[in-house]
Amino acid sequence: MASDLEKRAKEAFIDDHFELAVDLYTQAIALNPQNAELYSDRAQANIKSNNLTEAVSDANKAIELDSSLSKAYLRKGIACIRLEEYQTAKAALEIGASLAPEETRFVKLIKECDELIAEETGVLPDLSLEKPSTEDVVSTEDVQPVSDPSNQLTVAFVKPKYRHEFYQKPDEVVVTIFAKGIPAKDVHIDFGEQILSVSIDVAGEDTYHFQPRLFGKIIPKKCRYEVLSTKVEIRLAKADPLHWTSLEFSKDNSVVPRVSVPVIGEQRPSYPSSKPKRVDWDKLEAEVKKEEKEEKLDGDAALNKFFQDIYKDADEDTRRAMRKSFVESNGTVLSTNWKEVGNKKVEGSAPDGMEMKKWEY
């Protein structure tokens, strides 16, 4: 039965029915889950369907089952190139080239990775190298095409088996998959430059796959995971200290590149504090006095300022005379001679053309 499904999947692939091929390979894998060839071929169909993270996951599974399967490394390399994970792609392609030195596609794709890595790092590539295409990756096989595409199946959306969520710190993202009571041997996790591949394969149950293309790039060597009694906790080391607005990459929320701003001198960060700030009151008073002295006033304000200056610099008798005369005359007389106003009541003096009146309460 599995071999029949595999044959139909290959025929569907030749006829460019890639989604149908993926579905048929999936059915074949369910019947023969230890067949590395099936995972490798489904990876190829996923590449054609543009399911790139699924393709990487399938290639990883094929490599896990058969580390000598060169075409699994080839398909992982192609998928990673399209995901712009050039370092991961190159590493896989180099292993594949060592297993199949006669396969020229490895050499061409490794050169392509070198060019893309050089472009990404700002180093000009060797223009003498011919840049190959990743489109022509299907090896021809002597298979008769099917004439009836009516076998194509409709794949319905299936709710994920396990719930997941994430939170982040400045230097890492923590992903939690809520899978309870899972043996550690059944959990397989791979890290790429910008991809996370999780497989939970418990005997007697459908295999759980989670392969997101991540919001930002990570450092695979620093990533780690732990299988706990109630969950699987994955720690992704950020390649750049950026804030991830989501776990998965999309064109609508792509990473904003960091802009390096040169800092002149050392700038110490300031933090809020409950400690009272020390104020130099003498310096503050001097500044206020200087401002008042230099201030230019007009009209009544200038006159009031003139009398204030007199009062401020006067002796005690002069100040007493000014206070007494001003109060008793209802603000119409201001004398500085205490001998003149000290022994008598100061009568009010109305301005010319006006007369004094007493208010009745």
Side-chain angles (χ1 to χ4, degrees):
M1 182 66 179
S3 60
D4 180 59
L5 288 168
E6 181 181 3
K7 181 180 178 180
R8 290 173 58 195
K10 289 181 178 179
E11 291 172 350
F13 185 92
I14 293 297
D15 280 355
D16 293 342
H17 301 310
F18 304 122
E19 293 292 345
L20 175 59
V22 169
D23 184 71
L24 291 170
Y25 278 125
T26 300
Q27 295 180 49
I29 288 171
L31 297 174
N32 190 1
Q34 300 302 312
N35 190 324
E37 290 277 352
L38 292 177
Y39 284 100
S40 177
D41 291 342
R42 188 172 69 174
Q44 187 181 32
N46 272 318
I47 290 172
K48 285 295 186 179
S49 301
N50 205 35
N51 302 325
L52 300 177
T53 56
E54 289 82 354
V56 174
S57 177
D58 281 342
N60 285 334
K61 183 63 176 180
I63 292 168
E64 178 188 332
L65 294 172
D66 184 359
S67 60
S68 64
L69 189 62
S70 62
K71 65 180 181 181
Y73 294 97
L74 177 65
R75 286 155 190 175
K76 179 177 179 178
I78 291 168
C80 286
I81 287 175
R82 296 190 183 181
L83 286 168
E84 300 179 1
E85 297 196 10
Y86 308 127
Q87 296 283 2
T88 304
K90 182 180 178 181
L93 292 168
E94 287 176 340
I95 297 174
S98 67
L99 296 172
E102 73 285 352
E103 176 57 78
T104 59
R105 284 178 293 177
F106 282 115
V107 177
K108 291 180 180 180
L109 291 173
I110 289 171
K111 287 181 179 179
E112 181 177 354
C113 286
D114 287 336
E115 291 180 352
L116 293 169
I117 291 170
E119 182 180 343
E120 191 175 51
T121 56
V123 180
L124 291 176
D126 185 354
L127 298 178
S128 64
L129 299 177
E130 178 184 358
K131 188 174 181 180
S133 170
T134 59
E135 292 296 327
D136 187 18
V137 298
V138 184
S139 58
T140 57
E141 300 181 28
D142 187 14
V143 179
Q144 294 295 325
V146 293
S147 58
D148 183 11
S150 61
N151 291 330
Q152 188 165 354
L153 302 177
T154 302
V155 181
F157 173 78
V158 180
K159 184 178 179 181
K161 185 176 181 180
Y162 303 117
R163 180 173 62 89
H164 72 272
E165 63 183 32
F166 82 101
Y167 67 91
Q168 63 185 302
K169 301 177 182 179
D171 58 345
E172 71 174 358
V173 174
V174 181
V175 181
T176 303
I177 299 176
F178 295 94
K180 187 176 181 180
I182 302 297
K185 64 180 180 62
D186 295 334
V187 179
H188 307 281
I189 299 179
D190 292 298
F191 305 101
E193 291 175 73
Q194 198 172 345
I195 192 169
L196 170 65
S197 178
V198 181
S199 295
I200 301 177
D201 190 8
V202 180
E205 299 181 8
D206 293 336
T207 302
Y208 168 80
H209 294 289
F210 179 52
Q211 300 97 20
R213 183 181 180 188
L214 300 171
F215 180 86
K217 291 195 173 185
I218 59 175
I219 306 172
K221 291 182 179 180
K222 294 185 178 181
C223 297
R224 62 191 188 278
Y225 70 93
E226 185 178 4
V227 180
L228 304 173
S229 60
T230 59
K231 61 185 179 180
V232 179
E233 188 172 86
I234 306 166
R235 294 184 176 272
L236 306 173
K238 293 182 180 179
D240 298 296
L242 301 170
H243 177 76
W244 291 18
T245 58
S246 66
L247 179 62
E248 299 187 37
F249 172 88
S250 73
K251 293 182 180 179
D252 297 331
N253 58 0
S254 57
V255 176
V256 179
R258 291 175 60 84
V259 179
S260 297
V261 180
V263 179
I264 302 175
E266 182 181 2
Q267 295 183 354
R268 296 180 61 187
S270 59
Y271 303 95
S273 172
S274 59
K275 185 178 180 179
K277 185 178 179 180
R278 184 177 179 181
V279 179
D280 189 342
W281 294 108
D282 293 336
K283 181 179 178 181
L284 182 61
E285 183 182 9
E287 290 176 354
V288 171
K289 288 182 177 180
K290 182 179 179 182
E291 290 177 1
E292 290 178 348
K293 187 175 182 181
E294 294 176 351
E295 186 179 13
K296 295 182 179 180
L297 303 174
D298 296 322
D300 291 342
L303 184 61
N304 287 334
K305 180 68 167 53
F306 172 72
F307 289 136
Q308 288 172 4
D309 290 341
I310 294 175
Y311 186 87
K312 180 179 64 175
D313 298 330
D315 57 25
E316 187 58 32
D317 285 345
T318 301
R319 291 183 178 183
R320 290 167 63 193
M322 293 177 70
R323 290 197 299 268
K324 185 173 185 298
S325 61
F326 186 81
V327 172
E328 291 181 350
S329 67
N330 293 318
T332 60
V333 176
L334 185 63
S335 174
T336 58
N337 191 338
W338 178 249
K339 292 181 179 180
E340 180 181 329
V341 299
N343 297 322
K344 64 178 182 179
K345 181 178 179 181
V346 180
E347 299 293 337
S349 175
D352 293 342
M354 302 182 72
E355 61 177 326
M356 295 287 295
K357 285 188 177 181
K358 185 176 181 181
W359 289 96
E360 299 291 340
Y361 295 98

